[in-house]
Structures are given as structure tokens and as C-alpha cells.
Amino acid sequence: MNAPRIRVPALTDARLRITGAENIYLCVVRRAVPGDRVQLFDGRGGAADARVVAIDRDGCDLAIERRFDEPAARPQVTALVPLIKGERMDECIEKLTEVGVDAIVVFAAHHAVVRLPAEKVAARVSKLNAIASAASRQSRRAIEPTVRGVSSLTEALHTSAP
């Protein structure tokens, strides 16, 4: 069985405390016990092999055994995606992440059915970033794609230009 992958904010210390959703994934879903191996990644290319040291009600302590960097794939790929109706948008972000896209720019297409008010765009983009993060863990990527929201195709094209 492969070691579970856990997203951490940073790989700066030799020992880390995992709480929240990642702790639930590791300790409840994956049923980790002290001594189990875990792979860590920071979403920016940093990765580490670690071992579960202790588990308590509030979280899990991990000891980093080996740090390494996973290089970014070349060429860099940016996908421009119009807002899609229903759960298909979530599935689109998930699949683009799994195939290795580096950046995703979501825009409101002129003839699209989906129209979000400006105040809801930030919340939607935040949710899509969470989906990309989960898909990165699942597909064993060390570098998460960025998901940005813009208002039009023209702005999306300018945003994605090198």
C-alpha cells in the first residue's frame, strides 16, 4: 500500500503537527498509527518522507526523515476554462490537475449559462483551489496548480500570457 500524502503549509521543521482536515484524512480515513510512513508535500515543489510519531485527540505528530524537491514539469501549461454549470466545473478542475496543468484561469464566457455575481467569484475560486489541492494529493503531485478567476476571455488571455 502506498504511503498517504498530506499537504502541509511548509516543510521547515524536523517535526510537524497535523490538525484539521489533513489530520482527519490521515488518522480517520487512512487509519494511521504511530510508526506508519507518510509523504508530505507543500504544494510548491517541496516534499518529504515522514513517519507518524504520535496521535492524540487534537492532531498527529510527524517526524520528517528525508526532504527533497520535485521539479516542475516543462513546458508550463495554463488552461483557460469558462464557468461550467453544476458539478462539471469541479470535475473539470480535478481532471486538469490530474493531467498536470500548472495554472487554471476561470472566466465568465459571453454566451455561458453560468453568471456569478462579483462577490461570489472569490468564494467559488477558493472552492476550486481546494479541489485542485485535493486532486494534487490524489495524483501524487508536489506542485499544485493555481486557480484564478477573471471576468472575461480577454482578461484570461492577458492573465495567461508569459
Side-chain angles (χ1 to χ4, degrees), residues 11-28:
L11 292 166
T12 55
D13 300 323
R15 194 168 169 126
L16 294 170
R17 177 102 174 133
I18 305 297
T19 59
E22 295 294 338
N23 178 57
I24 291 169
Y25 172 73
L26 180 61
C27 297
V28 177

Side-chain angles (χ1 to χ4, degrees), residues 15 19 40 54 71 83 92 103-104 117 127 138 148 156-157:
R15 194 168 169 126
T19 59
L40 307 175
L83 286 170
C92 178
I104 302 167
K127 179 185 175 192
Q138 185 69 26
R148 291 171 291 186
L157 290 169

